[in-house]
Amino acid sequence: MSLHIQDLQATLEDGTEILKGVTLEIPKGEVHAIMGPNGSGKSTLSKVIAGHEGYVVTGGSVTIDGEDIEEMSIDERSRAGIFLAFQYPAEVPGVSNANFIRAALQARLPKGEEIDAVAYYKNLYAKMDLLEMDRKFTARAVNEGFSGGEKKRNEILQMMMLEPQYCILDETDSGLDIDALKIVAKGVNAMRSPDRGMLLITHYQRLLDYIKPDHVHVMAEGRIVRSGGPELAHELEKHGYDFLKEAAMA
Amino acid sequence: MTTTAPQTPAVFPAWFAARQHDAWERYLATPAPKRGDETWRFSNLKQLNFEGFTRGAGVSPTADLVARSTGLEKTAAKFVFINEELVHSETNLPQGVICLPLAVALVSHSDLVAAHFMKQETRLGSAKFAAWHEASVSNGLFVHTGDHIEVEGTIEVHHWISGANTVIFPHTLVVTGKSSKVRVIDIFRSEDDISPGLAIAFNDLSAGQYSQLDYVAVQALNEVTRIIQINETSTARDASAKGFILNTGASWARNECLSRLEGPGSRSDMLSVSVPAREQEYDQRTFQHHVSEGAYSDLLYKNSLYDNSKTIFSGLIFVDKNAHHTDAYQTCRNLLMSDTCEANSMPGLEINADQVKCSHGSTSSQIHDEEIFYLQARGIDPVSARQLIARGFSVEVVERLNDVATEEFVLSFIDDKFAHIDTGGA
């Protein structure tokens, strides 16, 4: 049972190659981290897995628990258990957070079945308490006027509510101060489970001080160039990405 | 156009008969709008052929329409008109509030009606149709609150058009006394989906000193019916008037809204949500007239356009030379939900005073792919995602009603409209 990315190749619509054959397997129960310099293709990888239509998959495959997701639409992938926490979450004016998350949960129910509102709010408030989010966030429009930290917390809240099988967190640490980072990490750590695989995408090692990964991969120029244990993150922190490029060329 | 003079019922007062007679003369003498008229720029003048429409001949069985006149759970008063004839009423109003069918008020409170009935000049293009309305109107609602009376809840008025080729002339006249408060909601609907109809509607709102007057018009007529709705609002010192128009129905709707800020410190909020689809056309003209100093007006119109629909917005903020310290804002936003819809906006500003804060603007945009991606990435299908965003776009205006029950009622019409848009704009 895993999220399995096999020799994944993708281009922009204009044909520019971004992913040049990424192979990665994230079994349930494990937390993997992908690190890499800007432009290495980390964010593209997350969007391609989620099904973003701005990219063309030119080779390879992505399967979840053995099922190929290539033919699935974005929303079908989400309902199949993939969750992408966005680096830059969109704002949705006029749609309250509570209604938005409710609509997302409702989309997972069979037609005609309605969410139990009382249980829903109880669950929502419990998750918000854990993320130290003020109750007023339920009534506020999704991400509108939110600070960077509030947006990231809101992403984790959605992840906690939707209980996906595979979570991909794209630069979740960017724009967070230490206190916010700790809260976000607390939420993510609370989601760690033998039934869930996680992929953290980050530029810096500091996120990994709070969310300890089982495996660390380094991405450069559209490929995974090195994989290892948590110590790899420290190595990168110490030597920087130039060290890796040199190693790759050697 | 019709050429037979309407007959003023003998029971109505002489002043009213004279007004109707004069109005008919004016109607005949006023030329029809023509191409090149600034107030009809971008308009489809073919929509102004009203040949063949007649007053509803009698009222068909009413029980069904009364039962269908569902609205707010709790109302301060409720009236149901079919083809201008009152068929149902219930009131639970405090003493000091006059709330009567116009046909009754014209007899029982003739002087009071005369003091407020159609006092302003119709200047946004429909002078001819306002004259037609004035010459023809025979019923509607008259509301007058005494001083220091706050009406809890809403006065709800249902206007039904029944029968093919029926024209109605509904009139709502609301006058608030000093430091009083009232909310009135007009709901325009057709008995069925296939009978062409026409409504030439007029609402007069006069907000007295320190009072608060909220008015909501829900236009959900069938899509073979046309409507001209003229709204004229005046605000006395420190009064606050709020006018909200929802357009979901009709094949063609023309709204002319004029707010005259007569008293210093007064406020006028002019709000509208329109959700045209298929071949529907909504043509909206507004005028924020700042007469007095220190007044505030804020206009927010939002249109979500689907399919081949079309909207026109033309708004003018006009600040008289003595209206110093005016705050006036005007915003029209169009959300284009198809590649074949058409939104025309003509914001305008004319300032003749000093120390004013004014802004006006208009935007047209589509939903960004990244927004849809975000919602889809949460498992929401693209059609629902687009509707959620379009609904949210409208909610921002609806929330300014500041009354949960009224907001939910208005949103129920918006949701019903979304449910009847086949494409979902996708």
Side-chain angles (χ1 to χ4, degrees), chain B residues 138-161:
Chain B
S138 64
N139 214 343
L141 194 72
F142 175 66
V143 180
H144 184 281
T145 61
D147 294 348
H148 307 287
I149 292 177
E150 293 191 15
V151 177
E152 290 294 325
T154 300
I155 297 171
E156 184 180 290
V157 193
H158 296 262
H159 304 274
W160 291 94
I161 306 183

Side-chain angles (χ1 to χ4, degrees), chain A residues 203-223:
Chain A
H203 189 87
Y204 301 104
Q205 193 259 336
R206 69 169 192 150
L207 175 71
L208 308 183
D209 289 340
Y210 300 97
I211 308 169
K212 302 286 183 200
D214 300 301
H215 299 274
V216 174
H217 310 275
V218 181
M219 197 161 171
E221 300 194 10
R223 289 188 185 89

